[in-house]
Amino acid sequence: MVDAWATPQQVIDITGATVTSSQLTQAQSSIEMFSNRIYADTVRIRARDLYWLRKAVAYQAAWEATQFDL
């Protein structure tokens, strides 16, 4: 299980893209850096914000999966 705000299945549901656990971990790191939020503090994050963080991780994972030079 990857410590991320989105699961591989949620990435498929949201974007239609299939990603690996490694790609999901990379996307999570990117979103943590730019959102100034970390997964370890998930219990302190509001449900509305978690909704948007889940979407951000899903779209980031789908996008990064297509960036072969990343």
Side-chain angles (χ1 to χ4, degrees):
M1 183 70 183
V2 176
D3 287 340
W5 290 307
T7 65
Q9 183 60 49
Q10 288 171 328
V11 175
I12 293 169
D13 294 344
I14 293 168
T15 69
T18 302
V19 296
T20 65
S21 294
S22 178
Q23 291 167 324
L24 190 58
T25 299
Q26 289 174 319
Q28 175 70 25
S29 293
S30 295
I31 296 303
E32 285 181 351
M33 183 174 52
F34 287 105
S35 69
N36 200 28
R37 300 289 179 267
I38 59 172
Y39 184 81
D41 285 342
T42 297
V43 295
R44 296 176 20 184
I45 301 172
R46 294 181 189 178
R48 183 190 73 198
D49 295 332
L50 287 173
Y51 170 84
W52 290 114
L53 289 167
R54 180 176 301 111
K55 294 252 187 194
V57 169
Y59 280 106
Q60 185 70 19
W63 179 81
E64 284 185 3
T66 65
Q67 306 306 306
F68 299 106
D69 59 343
L70 183 62

